[in-house]
Every structure is written in C-alpha cells, then in structure tokens.
Amino acid sequence: MTPTTPMTGDHTARSPRPTALDAVHRALGATLTDFAGWSMPLRYGSERAEHQAVRTSAGLFDLSHMGEITVTGPGAGALLDHALVGLLSALPVGRARYTMICDAAGGILDDLIVYRLDTHEYLVVANASNAGTVLDALTDRAAGFDAAVRDDRDAYALIAVQGPESPGILGRLTDADLAGLKYYAGLPGTVAGRRALIARTGYTGEDGFELFCAPADAEPLWRAITEAGKPEGLVPCGLACRDTLRLEAGMPLYGHELTTATTPFDAGLGRVVRFDKPGDFVGRERLAAAAERAASAPPRALVGLVARGRRVPRAGFAVVDAGGAVIGQVTSGAPSPTLGKPIALAYVDPAHAAPGTEGVAVDIRGTHEPFDVVAPPFYTRQK
C-alpha cells in the first residue's frame, strides 16, 4: 500500500494527540488516556467484558498510535540487516517478522514488526513511545546504504480486529483471500471499499487481523466492521484489556519486560538474533557475549507467576524466596480474566526459575503473598 497522506513533522510537540477515530471513541463514551502523547481509549465500559469478548468472539481496537516507518531502495534489506538483529533481507515479499533494534551495547531500543511490502520496500512498525527513537536510529544507520528511511506515522491509521470470530467478520467485508493469508503475513486489499494492508498479526494471543489504512478511511472502516460484527457480539476494546490479553499470552511489553538495560537473551528472546547473517550489525559483539552468558551463567530469567491468593502484583514489586530474600522483580502483573487469578511476569534469580519452585512469593505492600512459578504463556488458544 502506498501512503498518500503528507507528513506533518515532529510528534513530540503535540500532547495528547487525537487519532483519526477520536470522534468515534468519544461518541462511544470511551475513557480516554494520554498514552505516549496520544489520546487513546483505555476502555469503553468493562475492560473484563472487552477481554472476554476477544477470547470468545471478537474485539475491535484503534492502534493508530503505533509508529510506521517505510524503508525503500535496492539497499533496504541490507540496511535493515545492519540496523536490526534479524535477517530481514531474506524475508519473502508479503511476510512479516518480529524483531528488535538494539544499541551498540546490546540493549533493546524497541521490539518491532517488519513487513516486506515489495522487493525494495519494507514497513517497520514501532511502539508509539519509541517511534522517534527508532526513526532516528534507522536514519543514522542508513548512511552508506542505497536506501531511504521515511517517517510515515501520519500516513496510516491502524485498526485491529482480534478474536476467534474475526476471520468470519472481516471475510464479509473483503474479497481478499483471508483463508490463504498465513500468520505473520500481509497483503494489500480492499475492506468495505477502502484500500488497506491486511496483516494477520496481533498482540492478544488470538487469531486476528491488523488493517493499515489511510487516516481518512479509518472511521468508515471502523463503522463497517462494527456493523458486520454485531451478530457475533464484536465490541470496541481499549488499551486496558489489550494489556491483560498480551500478559495472558506471555507477550513482552516495552518498558516492562524489554528495556535498554535488557538484551534479547536476557528476555528469553535470543532466537530473534541472527548471528549467521552476512555482514556486521549494530550490537553484534555485545550480543554475542550476552548469548554466551545466557547459555552458561544467566544473571536472571523471565518467568510466569500465578497467585495462590487474590492480591494482585504490580510492576516493580519484589519477588522473594522462603526466607524473605529478594530474588527478583515483577515486570507486569494483573488479574487474569481467563484464569480467574492474578498473574505476573517477573525476572528472577535462575535458581528459582524452574516451574514448580517452592517458596516463591511477591512482596505486596509488606505481605509475602505465595505464587506458583510457571513457564509463560498463561494462555494458549486452541487451534
């Protein structure tokens, strides 16, 4: 898809910035929040009901705060191989890949999804809070490559329909071959008469689609999907339930499980680093050391925690052993609507990382609440 909306410059000066669907959110009575400089819907009513709708039927999300960056030119693949930890030049046209951009010390600047739109064209999608950082890093790293980096944050709105009923709902609005669209793939198509890049990606642990469209088409698309999803009970969903959905699915969140103080190997995601690709890439030396350390003497491990009680752990709470010694820290925590129990992700000492380790607790405001150590994810959809 070729963006048609002109760029309008620096995003950091606007706070909070409305998305193209702002009027729709307000008409639906959404609770709005300032998220990374954007005015985003937190919830429309009950975040638990929104969560359960995605698990059992379908939910509709506005994700227009995400940052889109287009990389074009004969050297686009080589640039991305150099700038990111993955092997993007080998990505087939029409496919997508989860990857990361690291600094020279191996710290994670952001986690990304990269779509290959054409032989010499890639779409890099960054987290909203890091989009400027990723854009600057790609621009700096493009020196010497026959490639151009373009800020397309204003060229796209992004809508996601997620849940087991999403293929049927979207299928009534498009002639695109959804059945033939693989997971982590995208194709250009028409949805409700509007052009869009239709991607089978998501952040909820469910089947679903993300639609990259022109901002002017966002509201007609939202209304068409809402109408088409009425028989299945599709509901609008905010950021609150998106967070509990991704936590149940064991997906990391930048600023929580992923930071510049964390390498992909620290986060248990070393598989995204491709040391076998040709040429050098930013962070290679330090990442190789991190890989060796993770294999022989990892300083910590990312684990799942399931509460035996009802109190909810939050990010920053200490994880302790049977003797009360601090052995780690919670990075994300919330009540799990699907499990009916509080859950958390936490970095802990490797000696306490094995599932079933006894005596692990979380210090919740002075009380050591018992938790079971498990291997994430907490929820896996049935296929």
Side-chain angles (χ1 to χ4, degrees):
M1 187 177 67
T2 300
T4 55
T5 303
M7 296 175 286
T8 57
D10 183 14
H11 291 246
T12 58
R14 311 171 191 132
S15 180
R17 181 184 179 191
T19 74
L21 290 162
D22 186 69
V24 174
H25 301 322
R26 293 179 186 278
L28 289 171
T31 299
L32 297 169
T33 186
D34 182 349
F35 184 84
W38 290 83
S39 179
M40 298 297 299
L42 186 63
R43 65 179 70 83
Y44 299 83
S46 163
E47 60 198 62
R48 175 179 289 270
E50 293 169 18
H51 180 113
Q52 290 173 333
V54 175
R55 286 280 179 257
T56 60
S57 180
L60 188 60
F61 297 83
D62 178 11
L63 305 179
S64 300
H65 60 311
M66 302 295 284
E68 294 86 1
I69 301 163
T70 301
V71 181
T72 59
L79 163 59
L80 293 174
D81 285 349
H82 168 71
L84 312 181
V85 301
L87 177 57
L88 284 308
S89 61
L91 187 66
V93 173
R95 298 307 302 268
R97 181 161 294 161
Y98 177 79
T99 186
M100 294 180 180
I101 183 168
C102 290
D103 59 24
I108 301 168
L109 292 174
D110 201 9
D111 61 334
L112 312 164
I113 295 180
V114 178
Y115 301 86
R116 191 167 194 172
L117 304 183
D118 208 337
T119 303
H120 300 313
E121 183 176 4
Y122 295 80
L123 178 64
V124 178
V125 181
N127 285 295
S129 57
N130 293 330
T133 298
V134 176
L135 175 66
D136 291 345
L138 288 177
T139 302
D140 290 344
R141 297 175 187 183
F145 290 92
D146 187 6
V149 178
R150 187 173 71 223
D151 180 0
D152 272 341
R153 285 176 288 179
D154 289 334
Y156 292 103
L158 178 56
I159 295 171
V161 54
Q162 295 279 305
E165 299 292 345
S166 58
I169 294 169
L170 199 62
R172 293 197 286 272
L173 299 172
T174 182
D175 57 2
D177 179 17
L178 297 185
L181 185 63
K182 296 180 180 178
Y183 186 52
Y184 264 71
L187 56 79
T190 300
V191 180
R194 311 283 170 165
R195 295 177 61 237
L197 170 66
I198 307 168
R200 200 162 203 158
T201 48
Y203 194 52
T204 64
E206 297 295 340
D207 192 9
F209 304 88
E210 296 187 325
L211 308 176
F212 296 84
C213 65
D217 291 336
E219 188 169 328
L221 266 178
W222 179 281
R223 295 191 186 284
I225 296 170
T226 297
E227 184 66 26
K230 280 184 177 178
E232 287 84 1
L234 175 143
V235 300
C237 295
L239 294 181
C241 84
R242 190 167 184 256
D243 190 51
T244 53
L245 289 160
R246 74 90 193 167
L247 180 56
E248 285 185 351
M251 296 178 174
L253 175 64
Y254 197 88
H256 290 249
E257 287 74 40
L258 309 177
T259 69
T260 52
T262 306
T263 73
F265 296 94
D266 298 327
L269 293 168
R271 64 183 181 277
V272 305
V273 182
R274 292 289 301 270
F275 291 114
D276 60 337
K277 61 183 176 181
D280 197 10
F281 63 93
V282 177
R284 173 192 280 272
E285 184 177 346
R286 298 294 289 274
L287 286 168
E292 183 175 343
R293 184 175 68 241
S296 58
R300 56 183 181 170
L302 187 65
V303 301
L305 299 174
V306 177
R308 295 183 182 178
R310 300 178 62 85
R311 299 188 72 186
V312 179
R314 298 297 184 185
F317 286 10
V319 182
V320 299
D321 66 12
V326 175
I327 58 169
Q329 188 177 65
V330 172
T331 51
S332 298
S336 166
T338 302
L339 274 64
K341 302 176 180 177
I343 59 174
L345 291 173
Y347 280 111
V348 301
D349 185 298
H352 299 83
T357 300
E358 291 294 328
V360 173
V362 176
D363 186 334
I364 300 181
R365 296 181 177 84
T367 301
H368 292 180
E369 298 286 341
F371 277 73
D372 292 322
V373 179
V374 302
F378 304 94
Y379 166 85
T380 303
R381 72 182 172 96
Q382 300 298 312
K383 299 181 179 178

